[in-house]
Amino acid sequence: MSMEPRWWHDAVVYQIYPRSFNDSNGDGIGDIPGIIEKLDYIQSLGSNVIWLSPVYQSPMEDNGYDISSYRDIAPEFGTMADMEKLLFEADKRQIKIVMDLVVNHTSDQHPWFQESKSSKDNPKRDWYIWKDPKSDGTPPNNWESFFEPQAWTLDEATGQYYLHLFSHQQPDLNWANPDVRHAVYDMMHFWLKKGLGGFRMDVINMIGKPSDFPDATIFDAGVAGWEHWSNNLLAHQYLREMHDHVLQHYDVLTVGETPFTTTLDGRYYSHPDRNEISMIFQFEHVSIDREEHNAVKKPFDLVQYKEIMSRWQQDLYQKGWNSVYWSNHDQPRAVSRYGSDCPQYRVVSAKMLATTLHCMSGTPYIYQGEELGMTNKHFESIEEFNDLMAKFHYEKMMKKGLSPEEGLAFLNDFSRDHARVPMHWDSSNNAGFTNGQPWLPLNSNYTEINAQQAVDDKTSIYHHYRQLIELRKASPYRDVIVYGRYELIEPEDAHVYAYLRRHEQRALLVISNFTDQLQTRHYSFNIEKMVLNNYSDDELNWTSLKAVTLKPYQSVIIEVAC
Ligand code: TEU
Ligand code: CA
């Protein structure tokens, strides 16, 4: 198979978490008019797709991932007219807007659930997943939830349990019911007709629930039950139906968020001939430095990281499409996690991470502030966290007998709130994010790390990202970056990540030092040209790769002879 070109093959996506991006009216909450104000900033970066985390009406128990009306905008984010203006203004700048499609579950405040809950014979009863208790009154099976110990909550009034893989305020829709599926498809048409560029599909690999609801048998590798409700045949069947009814009629980017996937699953979802979705977010590489389920930290192992990324690069080559990312609204800040956020190495290591990822095949995603090298914030106490998952993990750790300090330390490494701290625009009060009280307090380092500084400084991380995007979209290296073959060099090297991309008569070698030490290596390639180097001072010193000494966190892209 050779890949038929699609517009999103050379796209670079910029993710916005609206609540934390830019507040236009001083209520402390980012909003859609605030996003419109910053479109020029995103356009200058070079990104041509924006993925908006949910902006729909919601009680915001999970900051919008709990939707109470799919066809309304949350008032704190603006109005439908604002949303239409955003689409219009983005389009003027050749930027497409991808919205979040959260349809594994709704909010418990959604009228569908309110009706469903009202009585056992309500016509919408079967829109959600209701089951009788076991004879001893306990839940129908032993599945866990991502945010609570149990995936089932008893509704006292009707005497049945309902299923929620996330919080009890996020009941799971019953995709086995065709009326539910068609309601979702209608809603998708509603948005796509407004000129949307596509959807990011929240936990879309979990929509198929086996009709017999079997007990989980695996308890040490994720939320119990995942072997039954993730990536099953039903999920693929529903996606193909969705493609048939909706997606085939639009030329859009679709990316499925899919924890617990293998590369084989990745091919099933993204092979163009299967008519499902464009690409998926896999979770393997963001799972190697922790056991999320058990809230346990593990050392980051570069050899394992390389093995995972390389396997995805290779297994999907011409058999599907990758998405590549370091961070998003659920992950800690990339530079703190994989690079170094100490003043000496923050800039250079953030650039190194960017180079490593942006030369891979697949569609790269940038999370707001990543292009500035924003860092994790230090939280002093558990009360400072906002995220419901942080609270759940903390309780879990306390129950296991860990100390409050240990609990706090884990969250300071991994809490989702690190990503949700407001964006740094400039060095003025509250980083120019708001004139009011920010909904989540800022990181105090905004006086040094902010967009204005980065735009003005030609050697900033921001400009490094800009150059990487330009290489992918409009340079002689476009085809090799977008369509080239990928080859890992020295898989066992625990400090340096080197790989090659080849396409027709071009080859690019990418070398990244993941340590704060000098590293000397030998490569048997001949340099044609130094394409990008995150140390600007020694560009001319590279004449041969026979013995190169990489500086701390140095990363280079070199065109080599084929
Ligand atoms: O995330 C799904 C998911 O798997 C997360 O619980 C993930 O394990 C964790 O956040 C990563 O550390 C999606 C959304 O991205 C997330 O923001 C929502 O809270 C969740 O679904 C429920 O909609
Ligand atoms: Ca606001």
Side-chain angles (χ1 to χ4, degrees), residues 15 17 51 53-54 62-66 100 102-105 146-147 165-167 170 200-203 205-206 223 257-260 283 286 290 292 328-332 337 387-389 393 414-416 420:
Q15 184 192 352
Y17 196 67
W51 152 27
S53 277
D62 189 15
N63 289 343
Y65 284 90
D66 48 328
D100 226 303
V102 188
V103 290
N104 172 70
H105 45 270
F146 282 81
F147 298 157
L165 295 186
F166 295 87
S167 118
Q170 294 165 298
R200 177 267 188 188
M201 303 181 175
D202 195 62
V203 291
N205 63 331
M206 305 181 188
V223 178
E257 189 213 21
T258 59
F260 314 111
F283 276 66
V286 293
R290 61 169 160 178
E292 183 174 43
N328 59 42
H329 66 293
D330 292 334
Q331 301 293 330
R337 185 178 187 181
D387 180 27
L388 77 178
M389 195 178 200
H393 278 161
F414 293 111
S415 162
R416 309 196 299 179
R420 301 171 182 195

Side-chain angles (χ1 to χ4, degrees), residues 17-69:
Y17 196 67
R19 201 175 187 80
S20 305
F21 193 61
N22 185 33
D23 174 23
S24 70
N25 62 354
D27 66 355
I29 299 174
D31 45 52
I32 297 171
I35 297 171
I36 297 172
E37 288 172 12
K38 300 296 182 185
L39 285 174
D40 289 338
Y41 169 82
I42 294 166
Q43 188 185 26
S44 316
L45 183 62
S47 171
N48 61 332
V49 181
I50 292 173
W51 152 27
L52 269 194
S53 277
V55 291
Y56 313 91
Q57 186 182 300
S58 161
M60 302 284 168
E61 296 297 338
D62 189 15
N63 289 343
Y65 284 90
D66 48 328
I67 296 170
S68 55
S69 172

